[in-house]
Amino acid sequence: MAFSPLVDELVESLRCLPGVGQKTAQRMAFHLLERGRSGGTRLAAALNHAMDGVRRCDSCQNFSDTEICQICEKPERRNGTLCVVESPSDLLAIEQAGDYKGSYFVLMGHLSPIDGVGPEEIGIERLLDRVRREGVTELILATNPTVEGEATAHYIADRLDGQNILITRLAHGIPVGGELGYVDGFTLTHAFRGRKPLSE
Amino acid sequence: MAFSPLVDELVESLRCLPGVGQKTAQRMAFHLLERGRSGGTRLAAALNHAMDGVRRCDSCQNFSDTEICQICEKPERRNGTLCVVESPSDLLAIEQAGDYKGSYFVLMGHLSPIDGVGPEEIGIERLLDRVRREGVTELILATNPTVEGEATAHYIADRLDGQNILITRLAHGIPVGGELGYVDGFTLTHAFRGRKPLSE
Ligand SMILES: [Zn+2]
Ligand SMILES: [Zn+2]
């Protein structure tokens, strides 16, 4: 940048954030220096606290500040229903929807044999242990509706074959408030196949 | 977020960055925690270094790690031409264009009487001192082509009235590579009025 190595270092470091290129990083750095120094110092502290302090819950693999996370600690959430997601952000989206009251297991992504990511790497063995130990009655496989997510769901279902557990997937269909004209063909096909009587 | 106060603190702190709302802050926090912890720690250090260490150059008011910045320190840039800009990002854009070889003065924004921002607040008195002391022969008023930027430029020009200094503004016109159909009317008018013989 030719005028301040410290500004250069800040711009370069901001680029570790997803979606932040050179121009955006410059704009962020200048904003913090001109109008947000206290925010910048607070962000530095929050980064240090989180990078050092956030771990994976021993029970569900979600982010947690403690060995067992705040969701797993609540006994009322161990109601026999366990929802499997690919990432903490999926769990967050479900929690923010607010309707689901069971417990979770957060996979470390999805199976990807081509990248050497097998069942052990994403925690499927731990999931299966937990399903057996806790007497889970319904396992909701809420992995993403992608090729890898579907493959991961089928792998888990296969491993639990013959055990008396209801295994479910989330319904596909038209998003609430969505316009038919903007919905892709696969989703429309699923929505037609899953159609229900109006009285329901 | 209901599962980690440390993640909450990080998401909240990331929102001090310009253009970063709740969803983007969540995505950034999860990205750092899942795949970029070393980047997060490096960013924390860079923020602390910059927030503590970056000051304003005593000569040009640009960001600097030292009392006098790296541009002002170069004797060859004191060539009698001084370019006045509203912010460090404007200076950076000119430096990156690479053609200008004179020195700079970075105003702390522009005059805004309605917000109580007068000549003293943005450093105009320091600018005038410097112009007199250094024997500036051309003063390029590169404030923004906005109402406030124009007013600031005219105020500075008025204050230097009667002194033997060439005062200039940057040319308006069609951006290089721009399409006429996308250029606004004011710019087109300026481009017509400023038209030049093809041989130039
Ligand atoms: Zn947990
Ligand atoms: Zn300087």
Side-chain angles (χ1 to χ4, degrees), chain B residues 57-62 68-73 104 130:
Chain B
C57 168
D58 282 350
S59 169
C60 73
Q61 298 195 151
N62 190 21
I68 301 296
C69 78
Q70 296 188 359
I71 294 176
C72 290
E73 262 179 353
Y104 291 98
R130 193 171 148 195

Side-chain angles (χ1 to χ4, degrees), chain A residues 9-169:
Chain A
E9 183 200 348
L10 178 56
V11 171
E12 202 43 57
S13 303
L14 282 163
R15 295 189 59 185
C16 74
L17 298 172
V20 175
Q22 181 70 15
K23 282 273 169 193
T24 305
Q26 280 173 14
R27 196 163 52 89
M28 288 173 164
F30 287 145
H31 174 91
L32 290 175
L33 289 165
E34 284 184 295
R35 291 186 297 274
R37 296 220 182 189
S38 64
T41 303
R42 203 163 57 241
L43 175 55
L47 280 163
N48 278 328
H49 296 158
M51 297 303 120
D52 289 349
V54 177
R55 42 168 291 152
R56 295 288 190 154
C57 168
D58 283 350
S59 170
C60 73
Q61 297 195 152
N62 190 21
F63 291 136
S64 176
D65 302 357
T66 45
E67 284 182 32
I68 301 296
C69 78
Q70 296 187 359
I71 294 175
C72 289
E73 262 179 353
K74 292 191 180 134
E76 69 269 24
R77 300 205 61 153
R78 307 218 167 188
N79 62 3
T81 308
L82 183 64
C83 177
V84 178
V85 294
E86 289 186 31
S87 73
S89 53
D90 297 339
L91 182 155
L92 179 61
I94 297 170
E95 282 296 291
Q96 286 175 339
D99 196 54
Y100 178 69
K101 302 294 182 204
S103 51
Y104 291 98
F105 191 88
V106 180
L107 297 172
M108 304 287 197
H110 48 240
L111 292 175
S112 183
I114 213 167
D115 304 309
V117 180
E120 197 66 59
E121 280 76 24
I122 63 174
I124 288 182
E125 301 305 327
R126 295 176 71 178
L127 166 63
L128 298 175
D129 273 359
R130 191 171 150 198
V131 168
R132 288 183 203 109
R133 220 172 43 237
E134 288 184 16
V136 169
T137 53
E138 180 179 358
L139 189 69
I140 304 172
L141 296 173
T143 51
N144 289 323
T146 57
V147 173
E148 297 85 357
E150 298 287 355
T152 305
H154 281 109
Y155 178 84
I156 295 169
D158 285 348
R159 291 287 303 273
L160 291 167
D161 196 33
Q163 299 187 41
N164 192 23
I165 298 168
L166 176 63
I167 296 182
T168 56
R169 285 285 277 154

Side-chain angles (χ1 to χ4, degrees), chain B:
Chain B
M1 198 160 288
F3 58 76
S4 161
L6 289 176
V7 177
D8 285 351
E9 184 201 348
L10 178 56
V11 171
E12 203 43 58
S13 303
L14 281 164
R15 295 187 59 185
C16 74
L17 297 172
V20 175
Q22 182 70 17
K23 283 273 169 193
T24 306
Q26 279 173 15
R27 196 164 52 89
M28 287 175 165
F30 288 145
H31 173 91
L32 290 175
L33 288 164
E34 284 183 295
R35 290 185 298 273
R37 295 220 182 189
S38 64
T41 304
R42 203 165 53 241
L43 174 56
L47 280 164
N48 279 327
H49 297 159
M51 298 303 120
D52 290 349
V54 176
R55 44 168 290 154
R56 295 288 189 153
C57 168
D58 282 350
S59 169
C60 73
Q61 298 195 151
N62 190 21
F63 291 136
S64 176
D65 302 356
T66 45
E67 284 182 31
I68 301 296
C69 78
Q70 296 188 359
I71 294 176
C72 290
E73 262 179 353
K74 291 193 182 131
E76 69 269 23
R77 300 205 62 153
R78 308 217 165 188
N79 61 5
T81 309
L82 184 64
C83 177
V84 178
V85 294
E86 288 186 32
S87 73
S89 53
D90 297 340
L91 182 155
L92 179 61
I94 297 171
E95 281 297 291
Q96 285 175 339
D99 197 51
Y100 178 68
K101 301 296 181 202
S103 52
Y104 291 98
F105 191 87
V106 180
L107 297 172
M108 302 288 198
H110 48 241
L111 292 175
S112 182
I114 213 166
D115 303 311
V117 180
E120 196 66 59
E121 280 75 23
I122 63 173
I124 288 182
E125 301 306 327
R126 295 177 71 180
L127 166 64
L128 297 175
D129 273 358
R130 193 171 148 195
V131 168
R132 288 181 204 110
R133 219 172 43 237
E134 288 184 16
V136 169
T137 52
E138 180 179 357
L139 189 70
I140 304 172
L141 296 173
T143 53
N144 289 323
T146 57
V147 173
E148 297 87 355
E150 297 287 355
T152 306
H154 280 108
Y155 178 85
I156 296 169
D158 285 348
R159 290 288 303 273
L160 291 168
D161 196 34
Q163 298 187 40
N164 192 23
I165 298 168
L166 177 64
I167 297 183
T168 55
R169 287 282 280 153
L170 298 185
H172 288 304
I174 314 292
V176 177
E179 287 185 54
L180 247 66
Y182 292 95
V183 173
D184 68 279
F186 284 110
T187 304
L188 266 180
T189 303
H190 274 289
F192 267 87
R193 290 187 189 160
R195 66 190 182 278
K196 295 177 181 174
L198 194 59
S199 57
E200 233 183 45

